[in-house]
Amino acid sequence: VLDPADWERFRQTAHRALDDAIDYLRDSRERPAWQPVPENVKQRLREPMPQEPAPLESVYREFAEFIFPYASGNTHPRWLGWVQGSGTPSGALADLLAATMNSNAGGRDHAAVYVERQIVRWFRDLFGWPETTSGLLVMGTSAANLVAILVARTKAIGVRVREDGLDQHTSKLVAYASAATHACVRKGIEAAGVGSANLRVLPVDEDHRVEPARIAELIARDRADGFIPFLIVGNAGTVDVGAIDPLGELADLAKREHVWFHVDGAFGAMAYLSERLRPQLRGIERADSIAFDFHKWLHVPYDAGCVVVRDGEIHRATFASEGPYITRMPRGLAAGEPWFTDYGPDLSRAFRALKVWFTIKEHGARRLAHAIEMNCEQARYLASRIESDADFELLSPAVLQIVCFRPRAPLLDDVSLDRIVDEAVIRLQESGVAVISTTTVFGRRAMRASITNHRTTIEDLDLVLESLREIAGGLIAKRLS
Ligand SMILES: Cc1ncc(COP(=O)(O)O)c(C=O)c1O
């Protein structure tokens, strides 16, 4: 009853949708980088649930008019906010095909499972990891980090924690990460029952990197105090400025201390695809687990994250489950062991791997690496322009693709300038010319451009800087007048 009564009519609407989608991506430069959702649209999207059917054409028309134009905008060449990938046409096509197949990749014996295994193997091989490696696609790095934290917990205190939870002794687990670590690690530590009070947050040095010697000191002190150090989290690209922790030294320390070493490489891990950038990330390949995203620097449409774990057995022991309704069989559809559901919290799982597969097959690792290198060069260009510009001050070097900066206004106090930074970034977004975001760098509000975008050109960056000069210049002049 839910299939079209008239397939030809469905085909027409579907073709129109596909044409519009292709135009949308082809013409992304022509649209505003972002535009706010108008009140009438918000109103419409509060309407109650329809009880009666409507022709697909009219549903599509409503989408085209009220939803399509109000995207967050990250397919636009001048969208440089937070850290978000810019999508690919073939990735979008793959999502249509994956939805068509409607495969559930939780397990069983069908193509989606083999595609996902192939993706995990490609990245296992990239990091030079052994056959024992396991991994799976998840929503994003937040979920990937949580999976890794839970596996590390099993490693430290045994699989019985699944049944017993944390007791008086095991509630003394402690983890170590720098202050520059993404908030999702804290969430993961909380969700794992370890408690964020047991996350030792270390200050960073002037390059925004954690100092392994300080972790070593804390581990010794914690052990003396009866705590159980179980996890060191290193960053391959911190969210604020893109700094890379001394991963090799962290790997040495973790090995010495018999502590799990996890790397959050949400975007930075993908720079490992580039031979030129790989030396900066050395040490990541010695981790016990790595979390990263395809939806960031590989531009696979949202959402697609991944976690790989060197010791697949302990990974499986953390999540494996059974039930009469999911009995594995030697043949038939219920074969295909191991099932992905045994490596993460979900049973039903989308065929996310197809859009990753399409993206990597179409472009090849070398071209994807080239796009990453190009973004790093663009970031260096932007940073050097800012450095030699009397109106701006560079607040963090372009280690990878992130540049933090702010206007110079020697006559203004810090608090006023912080407010101007925030206001200027909002106004830039509202102008539709470009999107950047903000952060705080060593206590000072910063404009932050993350060039995680394969459509950006040098001219785009020039335009962003000139627009900010004009907006911030006007705000500073007004404040001083
Ligand atoms: C370093 C880092 N870790 C984790 C995350 C969270 O990743 P996701 O948004 O895919 O959950 C991000 C997001 O920007 C990040 O930059």
Short mmCIF file of all heavy atoms in Angstrom, two decimals, residues 228-279:
data_model
loop_
_atom_site.label_atom_id
_atom_site.label_comp_id
_atom_site.label_asym_id
_atom_site.label_seq_id
_atom_site.Cartn_x
_atom_site.Cartn_y
_atom_site.Cartn_z
N ILE A 228 42.98 3.96 39.26
CA ILE A 228 43.38 3.02 38.20
C ILE A 228 43.46 3.77 36.87
O ILE A 228 42.46 3.94 36.17
CB ILE A 228 42.34 1.88 38.04
CG1 ILE A 228 41.96 1.28 39.39
CG2 ILE A 228 42.84 0.81 37.07
CD1 ILE A 228 40.75 0.35 39.31
N PRO A 229 44.67 4.26 36.50
CA PRO A 229 44.81 4.93 35.20
C PRO A 229 44.49 3.93 34.09
O PRO A 229 45.04 2.82 34.09
CB PRO A 229 46.28 5.34 35.16
CG PRO A 229 46.70 5.39 36.61
CD PRO A 229 45.92 4.29 37.27
N PHE A 230 43.56 4.28 33.19
CA PHE A 230 43.20 3.29 32.17
C PHE A 230 43.25 3.82 30.74
O PHE A 230 43.24 3.03 29.80
CB PHE A 230 41.80 2.69 32.45
CG PHE A 230 40.62 3.52 31.93
CD1 PHE A 230 39.86 3.07 30.86
CD2 PHE A 230 40.29 4.71 32.52
CE1 PHE A 230 38.77 3.80 30.39
CE2 PHE A 230 39.21 5.46 32.07
CZ PHE A 230 38.44 5.01 31.00
N LEU A 231 43.35 5.13 30.59
CA LEU A 231 43.21 5.65 29.23
C LEU A 231 43.92 6.99 29.06
O LEU A 231 43.75 7.89 29.88
CB LEU A 231 41.70 5.84 28.94
CG LEU A 231 41.28 6.59 27.69
CD1 LEU A 231 41.64 5.80 26.44
CD2 LEU A 231 39.77 6.88 27.71
N ILE A 232 44.69 7.08 27.98
CA ILE A 232 45.24 8.38 27.57
C ILE A 232 44.62 8.70 26.21
O ILE A 232 44.63 7.86 25.30
CB ILE A 232 46.79 8.32 27.43
CG1 ILE A 232 47.44 8.05 28.79
CG2 ILE A 232 47.32 9.61 26.82
CD1 ILE A 232 48.95 7.78 28.71
N VAL A 233 44.04 9.88 26.11
CA VAL A 233 43.47 10.31 24.81
C VAL A 233 44.40 11.36 24.21
O VAL A 233 44.67 12.39 24.83
CB VAL A 233 42.06 10.90 24.99
CG1 VAL A 233 41.50 11.37 23.65
CG2 VAL A 233 41.12 9.89 25.64
N GLY A 234 44.87 11.08 23.01
CA GLY A 234 45.68 12.07 22.28
C GLY A 234 44.86 12.66 21.15
O GLY A 234 43.92 12.04 20.66
N ASN A 235 45.22 13.86 20.74
CA ASN A 235 44.49 14.52 19.65
C ASN A 235 45.33 14.57 18.38
O ASN A 235 46.48 15.03 18.41
CB ASN A 235 44.17 15.98 20.04
CG ASN A 235 43.09 16.04 21.10
OD1 ASN A 235 41.94 15.72 20.84
ND2 ASN A 235 43.48 16.45 22.31
N ALA A 236 44.75 14.12 17.30
CA ALA A 236 45.35 14.35 15.98
C ALA A 236 44.50 15.44 15.33
O ALA A 236 43.61 15.17 14.54
CB ALA A 236 45.32 13.07 15.16
N GLY A 237 44.75 16.68 15.74
CA GLY A 237 43.95 17.82 15.27
C GLY A 237 42.95 18.21 16.36
O GLY A 237 41.88 17.61 16.45
N THR A 238 43.33 19.18 17.18
CA THR A 238 42.38 19.63 18.22
C THR A 238 41.30 20.47 17.56
O THR A 238 41.54 21.13 16.54
CB THR A 238 43.08 20.45 19.31
OG1 THR A 238 43.74 21.57 18.69
CG2 THR A 238 44.09 19.61 20.07
N VAL A 239 40.13 20.45 18.17
CA VAL A 239 38.98 21.08 17.53
C VAL A 239 39.16 22.59 17.41
O VAL A 239 38.74 23.19 16.42
CB VAL A 239 37.67 20.69 18.26
CG1 VAL A 239 37.70 21.09 19.72
CG2 VAL A 239 36.48 21.31 17.57
N ASP A 240 39.81 23.22 18.39
CA ASP A 240 39.92 24.69 18.34
C ASP A 240 40.89 25.17 17.28
O ASP A 240 40.55 26.02 16.47
CB ASP A 240 40.38 25.22 19.71
CG ASP A 240 39.24 25.27 20.69
OD1 ASP A 240 38.13 25.64 20.28
OD2 ASP A 240 39.46 24.95 21.88
N VAL A 241 42.11 24.63 17.32
CA VAL A 241 43.14 25.20 16.45
C VAL A 241 43.81 24.16 15.54
O VAL A 241 44.65 24.51 14.73
CB VAL A 241 44.23 25.94 17.28
CG1 VAL A 241 43.60 27.00 18.17
CG2 VAL A 241 45.07 24.98 18.10
N GLY A 242 43.45 22.89 15.70
CA GLY A 242 44.04 21.87 14.83
C GLY A 242 45.42 21.40 15.28
O GLY A 242 46.19 20.88 14.47
N ALA A 243 45.74 21.57 16.57
CA ALA A 243 47.06 21.14 17.05
C ALA A 243 47.13 19.61 17.13
O ALA A 243 46.11 18.94 17.28
CB ALA A 243 47.32 21.73 18.44
N ILE A 244 48.34 19.11 17.01
CA ILE A 244 48.55 17.65 17.07
C ILE A 244 49.40 17.33 18.29
O ILE A 244 50.53 17.81 18.40
CB ILE A 244 49.23 17.15 15.77
CG1 ILE A 244 48.38 17.52 14.56
CG2 ILE A 244 49.47 15.64 15.84
CD1 ILE A 244 49.09 17.38 13.22
N ASP A 245 48.85 16.55 19.20
CA ASP A 245 49.61 16.17 20.39
C ASP A 245 50.83 15.34 19.98
O ASP A 245 50.83 14.73 18.90
CB ASP A 245 48.71 15.33 21.32
CG ASP A 245 47.72 16.18 22.11
OD1 ASP A 245 48.04 17.35 22.39
OD2 ASP A 245 46.63 15.67 22.44
N PRO A 246 51.86 15.29 20.83
CA PRO A 246 53.03 14.46 20.52
C PRO A 246 52.65 12.98 20.61
O PRO A 246 52.83 12.33 21.65
CB PRO A 246 54.05 14.86 21.59
CG PRO A 246 53.29 15.53 22.66
CD PRO A 246 51.98 15.99 22.12
N LEU A 247 52.11 12.47 19.52
CA LEU A 247 51.46 11.15 19.55
C LEU A 247 52.47 10.03 19.82
O LEU A 247 52.16 9.07 20.51
CB LEU A 247 50.70 10.92 18.24
CG LEU A 247 49.60 11.97 17.96
CD1 LEU A 247 49.00 11.75 16.57
CD2 LEU A 247 48.51 11.92 19.02
N GLY A 248 53.66 10.16 19.27
CA GLY A 248 54.69 9.14 19.49
C GLY A 248 55.04 9.04 20.97
O GLY A 248 55.13 7.94 21.54
N GLU A 249 55.24 10.19 21.59
CA GLU A 249 55.59 10.20 23.02
C GLU A 249 54.44 9.66 23.87
O GLU A 249 54.65 8.95 24.85
CB GLU A 249 55.92 11.61 23.50
CG GLU A 249 57.26 12.13 23.02
CD GLU A 249 57.44 13.58 23.43
OE1 GLU A 249 57.39 13.88 24.63
OE2 GLU A 249 57.62 14.42 22.52
N LEU A 250 53.21 10.00 23.47
CA LEU A 250 52.05 9.48 24.20
C LEU A 250 51.97 7.96 24.06
O LEU A 250 51.63 7.25 25.01
CB LEU A 250 50.75 10.14 23.71
CG LEU A 250 50.58 11.62 24.06
CD1 LEU A 250 49.25 12.14 23.50
CD2 LEU A 250 50.63 11.86 25.57
N ALA A 251 52.29 7.47 22.86
CA ALA A 251 52.27 6.02 22.63
C ALA A 251 53.30 5.34 23.53
O ALA A 251 53.02 4.31 24.15
CB ALA A 251 52.54 5.71 21.16
N ASP A 252 54.50 5.94 23.61
CA ASP A 252 55.56 5.38 24.48
C ASP A 252 55.08 5.33 25.93
O ASP A 252 55.24 4.32 26.62
CB ASP A 252 56.82 6.26 24.44
CG ASP A 252 57.54 6.14 23.11
OD1 ASP A 252 57.32 5.13 22.41
OD2 ASP A 252 58.30 7.06 22.77
N LEU A 253 54.51 6.46 26.36
CA LEU A 253 54.06 6.56 27.76
C LEU A 253 52.99 5.51 28.05
O LEU A 253 53.04 4.81 29.08
CB LEU A 253 53.52 7.97 28.01
CG LEU A 253 52.87 8.23 29.36
CD1 LEU A 253 53.89 8.07 30.49
CD2 LEU A 253 52.26 9.64 29.41
N ALA A 254 52.02 5.41 27.14
CA ALA A 254 50.91 4.48 27.36
C ALA A 254 51.44 3.04 27.46
O ALA A 254 50.99 2.25 28.28
CB ALA A 254 49.90 4.61 26.23
N LYS A 255 52.42 2.75 26.60
CA LYS A 255 52.98 1.40 26.61
C LYS A 255 53.70 1.12 27.93
O LYS A 255 53.50 0.08 28.55
CB LYS A 255 53.95 1.27 25.43
CG LYS A 255 54.42 -0.12 25.19
CD LYS A 255 55.00 -0.29 23.82
CE LYS A 255 55.35 -1.76 23.67
NZ LYS A 255 56.43 -2.00 22.77
N ARG A 256 54.49 2.10 28.33
CA ARG A 256 55.24 1.97 29.58
C ARG A 256 54.30 1.76 30.77
O ARG A 256 54.56 0.98 31.66
CB ARG A 256 56.05 3.25 29.78
CG ARG A 256 57.40 3.04 30.38
CD ARG A 256 58.34 4.23 30.27
NE ARG A 256 57.79 5.55 30.52
CZ ARG A 256 57.78 6.54 29.63
NH1 ARG A 256 58.26 6.35 28.42
NH2 ARG A 256 57.28 7.71 29.94
N GLU A 257 53.20 2.48 30.74
CA GLU A 257 52.29 2.47 31.90
C GLU A 257 51.17 1.43 31.76
O GLU A 257 50.29 1.36 32.61
CB GLU A 257 51.66 3.86 32.07
CG GLU A 257 52.64 4.96 32.40
CD GLU A 257 53.22 4.83 33.81
OE1 GLU A 257 52.65 4.08 34.62
OE2 GLU A 257 54.25 5.46 34.08
N HIS A 258 51.18 0.68 30.65
CA HIS A 258 50.12 -0.32 30.41
C HIS A 258 48.74 0.32 30.44
O HIS A 258 47.82 -0.15 31.12
CB HIS A 258 50.21 -1.48 31.41
CG HIS A 258 51.54 -2.13 31.40
ND1 HIS A 258 51.95 -2.96 30.38
CD2 HIS A 258 52.59 -2.05 32.26
CE1 HIS A 258 53.18 -3.37 30.60
NE2 HIS A 258 53.59 -2.83 31.74
N VAL A 259 48.62 1.41 29.74
CA VAL A 259 47.37 2.16 29.68
C VAL A 259 46.94 2.22 28.22
O VAL A 259 47.77 2.28 27.32
CB VAL A 259 47.61 3.60 30.24
CG1 VAL A 259 46.42 4.50 29.96
CG2 VAL A 259 47.89 3.55 31.73
N TRP A 260 45.65 2.18 27.98
CA TRP A 260 45.11 2.23 26.61
C TRP A 260 45.41 3.59 26.00
O TRP A 260 45.24 4.63 26.66
CB TRP A 260 43.60 2.03 26.68
CG TRP A 260 42.93 1.82 25.35
CD1 TRP A 260 42.49 2.80 24.50
CD2 TRP A 260 42.58 0.58 24.73
NE1 TRP A 260 41.90 2.25 23.39
CE2 TRP A 260 41.94 0.87 23.52
CE3 TRP A 260 42.75 -0.76 25.09
CZ2 TRP A 260 41.46 -0.11 22.66
CZ3 TRP A 260 42.28 -1.75 24.23
CH2 TRP A 260 41.64 -1.42 23.04
N PHE A 261 45.83 3.61 24.74
CA PHE A 261 46.11 4.87 24.04
C PHE A 261 45.11 5.03 22.90
O PHE A 261 45.13 4.29 21.93
CB PHE A 261 47.55 4.87 23.51
CG PHE A 261 47.91 6.12 22.75
CD1 PHE A 261 47.43 7.37 23.14
CD2 PHE A 261 48.74 6.05 21.64
CE1 PHE A 261 47.76 8.52 22.44
CE2 PHE A 261 49.08 7.19 20.92
CZ PHE A 261 48.59 8.42 21.33
N HIS A 262 44.24 6.01 23.07
CA HIS A 262 43.23 6.29 22.05
C HIS A 262 43.54 7.63 21.40
O HIS A 262 43.91 8.59 22.09
CB HIS A 262 41.84 6.33 22.69
CG HIS A 262 40.77 6.80 21.75
ND1 HIS A 262 40.37 6.06 20.65
CD2 HIS A 262 40.05 7.96 21.70
CE1 HIS A 262 39.43 6.73 19.99
NE2 HIS A 262 39.22 7.88 20.61
N VAL A 263 43.37 7.70 20.10
CA VAL A 263 43.56 8.98 19.40
C VAL A 263 42.23 9.47 18.84
O VAL A 263 41.54 8.74 18.12
CB VAL A 263 44.60 8.86 18.27
CG1 VAL A 263 44.67 10.15 17.47
CG2 VAL A 263 45.98 8.53 18.84
N ASP A 264 41.87 10.71 19.19
CA ASP A 264 40.76 11.38 18.55
C ASP A 264 41.32 12.08 17.32
O ASP A 264 41.99 13.10 17.43
CB ASP A 264 40.11 12.39 19.51
CG ASP A 264 38.98 13.16 18.84
OD1 ASP A 264 38.87 13.11 17.60
OD2 ASP A 264 38.20 13.82 19.57
N GLY A 265 41.04 11.50 16.17
CA GLY A 265 41.54 12.07 14.92
C GLY A 265 40.39 12.50 14.04
O GLY A 265 40.44 12.31 12.82
N ALA A 266 39.37 13.08 14.65
CA ALA A 266 38.11 13.38 13.97
C ALA A 266 38.34 13.85 12.53
O ALA A 266 37.82 13.27 11.59
CB ALA A 266 37.32 14.42 14.76
N PHE A 267 39.15 14.89 12.38
CA PHE A 267 39.48 15.31 11.01
C PHE A 267 40.94 15.02 10.69
O PHE A 267 41.29 14.57 9.62
CB PHE A 267 39.13 16.79 10.79
CG PHE A 267 39.76 17.73 11.79
CD1 PHE A 267 40.98 18.33 11.51
CD2 PHE A 267 39.16 18.00 13.01
CE1 PHE A 267 41.57 19.19 12.43
CE2 PHE A 267 39.74 18.86 13.93
CZ PHE A 267 40.95 19.46 13.64
N GLY A 268 41.82 15.23 11.71
CA GLY A 268 43.26 15.16 11.46
C GLY A 268 43.73 13.80 10.99
O GLY A 268 44.68 13.71 10.20
N ALA A 269 43.08 12.73 11.45
CA ALA A 269 43.55 11.40 11.07
C ALA A 269 43.54 11.22 9.55
O ALA A 269 44.35 10.46 9.01
CB ALA A 269 42.70 10.32 11.73
N MET A 270 42.64 11.93 8.88
CA MET A 270 42.56 11.77 7.43
C MET A 270 43.77 12.37 6.71
O MET A 270 44.06 12.02 5.56
CB MET A 270 41.26 12.37 6.88
CG MET A 270 40.01 11.60 7.27
SD MET A 270 40.02 9.86 6.74
CE MET A 270 40.74 9.06 8.16
N ALA A 271 44.49 13.27 7.39
CA ALA A 271 45.71 13.82 6.80
C ALA A 271 46.77 12.73 6.65
O ALA A 271 47.74 12.89 5.91
CB ALA A 271 46.23 14.98 7.65
N TYR A 272 46.58 11.62 7.33
CA TYR A 272 47.50 10.48 7.22
C TYR A 272 47.49 9.90 5.80
O TYR A 272 48.41 9.21 5.38
CB TYR A 272 47.11 9.41 8.24
CG TYR A 272 48.24 8.52 8.68
CD1 TYR A 272 49.17 8.93 9.63
CD2 TYR A 272 48.38 7.24 8.15
CE1 TYR A 272 50.20 8.10 10.04
CE2 TYR A 272 49.41 6.40 8.55
CZ TYR A 272 50.32 6.83 9.49
OH TYR A 272 51.34 6.01 9.89
N LEU A 273 46.42 10.18 5.05
CA LEU A 273 46.35 9.73 3.65
C LEU A 273 47.41 10.43 2.79
O LEU A 273 47.78 9.94 1.74
CB LEU A 273 44.97 10.04 3.07
CG LEU A 273 43.80 9.16 3.53
CD1 LEU A 273 42.47 9.80 3.12
CD2 LEU A 273 43.92 7.76 2.94
N SER A 274 47.87 11.59 3.26
CA SER A 274 48.83 12.37 2.48
C SER A 274 50.26 12.04 2.92
O SER A 274 50.60 12.19 4.09
CB SER A 274 48.55 13.87 2.68
OG SER A 274 49.74 14.61 2.50
N GLU A 275 51.08 11.64 1.95
CA GLU A 275 52.47 11.33 2.30
C GLU A 275 53.18 12.56 2.85
O GLU A 275 54.06 12.47 3.70
CB GLU A 275 53.21 10.78 1.09
CG GLU A 275 52.95 9.29 0.92
CD GLU A 275 53.52 8.72 -0.34
OE1 GLU A 275 54.58 9.20 -0.80
OE2 GLU A 275 52.88 7.80 -0.90
N ARG A 276 52.76 13.73 2.33
CA ARG A 276 53.40 14.97 2.75
C ARG A 276 53.05 15.32 4.21
O ARG A 276 53.87 15.83 4.95
CB ARG A 276 52.97 16.10 1.82
CG ARG A 276 54.01 17.19 1.76
CD ARG A 276 53.63 18.38 0.94
NE ARG A 276 52.97 18.12 -0.32
CZ ARG A 276 52.15 19.03 -0.88
NH1 ARG A 276 51.90 20.17 -0.29
NH2 ARG A 276 51.58 18.78 -2.04
N LEU A 277 51.80 15.05 4.59
CA LEU A 277 51.35 15.45 5.93
C LEU A 277 51.58 14.37 6.98
O LEU A 277 51.60 14.64 8.18
CB LEU A 277 49.87 15.82 5.89
CG LEU A 277 49.52 17.02 5.00
CD1 LEU A 277 48.00 17.14 4.84
CD2 LEU A 277 50.09 18.31 5.58
N ARG A 278 51.77 13.13 6.51
CA ARG A 278 51.86 11.99 7.42
C ARG A 278 52.89 12.16 8.53
O ARG A 278 52.61 11.83 9.69
CB ARG A 278 52.15 10.72 6.60
CG ARG A 278 51.81 9.45 7.32
CD ARG A 278 51.89 8.26 6.39
NE ARG A 278 50.92 8.32 5.32
CZ ARG A 278 50.98 7.62 4.20
NH1 ARG A 278 52.00 6.79 4.00
NH2 ARG A 278 50.06 7.72 3.28
N PRO A 279 54.09 12.71 8.21
CA PRO A 279 55.10 12.83 9.29
C PRO A 279 54.58 13.62 10.50
O PRO A 279 54.97 13.33 11.64
CB PRO A 279 56.25 13.57 8.61
CG PRO A 279 56.11 13.24 7.15
CD PRO A 279 54.63 13.12 6.91
#
